[in-house]
Amino acid sequence: MNEWGSYQIQDFVPFNADVYFRMLARMGETFWPLQMVTAALGVAALVLALRGKARLALVLLVPIWAFVGVAFFAQRYASLNWVGQPLSWVWIAQGILLALFASVGRLTAGRARVFDTGTITGVLIALVGLLMFPLLAPVRDFGWAQAEVFGLHPDPTAVVSLGIFLIALHGWARWLACLVPWLWIILSALTLQVLGAPWWPALVAVAAAVMGGLLGDLRSLNSRT
């Protein structure tokens, strides 16, 4: 126990900021201009969720999660950190889970109410994932082809997905779908803190907002019973 107590967060991050951010940039460079397509899919999934087409929104997310699991975690992140390979299987499993949810209509929500707190929270979170991460590229002196985007990189993919889940799912399905992306953004926030990235608190704020939305859903379910 004393030995474990001597470890700090940075002991579990086996790379420096230059290496990590360069890997993110190369991911964008390699697949350019695919990010234009994936970003459009993210917007489409959000709109579908708001219009009550939750199952179609989830279907659009299935290949995205599988692609990030393989192209990012298995083929790139695993070369920096041994957990990359297990994480790739977790992301692929998340894609399979979303496919199952899409096939069971009763797990999905109906048309979103515009002024519902959960809907507003979900939209804001999704917009953070779609807009904030690409806009960080100039901050890091990267070009647009090197920016983090939904569908290629894990952070914006997880954030956008969390927003959509708050809109498209309800009950235990919402909790289960949010588990993997929520845990990832917590892990990513800790990693970014170690690397000295000033935007890591934004991920913590997203995690807190998602948890608030989930707990609000739980309270509403309890009030009905």
Side-chain angles (χ1 to χ4, degrees):
M1 292 294 293
N2 291 334
E3 183 180 352
W4 279 105
S6 65
Y7 284 99
Q8 297 179 329
I9 296 175
Q10 52 264 37
D11 295 323
F12 298 94
V13 182
F15 43 79
N16 60 36
D18 288 340
V19 170
Y20 184 66
F21 294 133
R22 188 58 202 164
M23 179 193 66
L24 295 179
R26 285 200 304 270
M27 182 75 180
E29 292 169 350
T30 301
F31 290 101
W32 175 265
L34 180 61
Q35 44 265 66
M36 295 182 182
V37 177
T38 59
L41 288 176
V43 173
L46 176 60
V47 172
L48 286 169
L50 289 170
R51 292 175 61 86
K53 307 293 184 181
R55 298 173 72 175
L56 289 177
L58 296 180
V59 167
L60 291 183
L61 295 180
V62 171
I64 293 292
W65 275 80
F67 177 77
V68 174
V70 174
F72 182 85
F73 285 106
Q75 298 180 354
R76 288 166 176 81
Y77 192 74
S79 64
L80 302 182
N81 194 337
W82 68 268
V83 301
Q85 196 62 50
L87 281 172
S88 71
W89 290 111
V90 171
W91 278 61
I92 293 171
Q94 175 78 0
I96 295 173
L97 177 69
L98 296 180
L100 292 175
F101 284 172
S103 66
V104 183
R106 67 177 182 274
L107 300 179
T108 57
R111 190 181 183 90
R113 291 176 292 178
V114 177
F115 297 107
D116 179 74
T117 303
T119 299
I120 295 173
T121 302
V123 169
L124 291 177
I125 289 173
L127 290 177
V128 167
L130 288 169
L131 300 176
M132 185 194 80
F133 289 94
L135 292 176
L136 287 173
V139 176
R140 303 204 303 257
D141 294 325
F142 288 164
W144 293 114
Q146 301 166 316
E148 285 186 75
V149 294
F150 168 83
L152 288 189
H153 299 86
D155 287 2
T157 300
V159 172
V160 173
S161 296
L162 285 168
I164 292 172
F165 297 156
L166 290 179
I167 300 168
L169 295 169
H170 59 79
W172 63 267
R174 178 187 283 184
W175 280 82
L176 189 56
C178 286
L179 179 61
V180 168
W182 191 88
L183 289 175
W184 168 255
I185 63 172
I186 291 296
L187 176 61
S188 184
L190 293 173
T191 301
L192 292 174
Q193 182 187 24
V194 170
L195 299 180
W199 59 89
W200 69 266
L203 290 182
V204 176
V206 167
V210 171
M211 185 55 63
L214 291 172
L215 292 176
D217 185 44
L218 186 61
R219 285 193 296 269
S220 65
L221 288 174
N222 290 335
S223 64
R224 293 172 192 169
T225 58

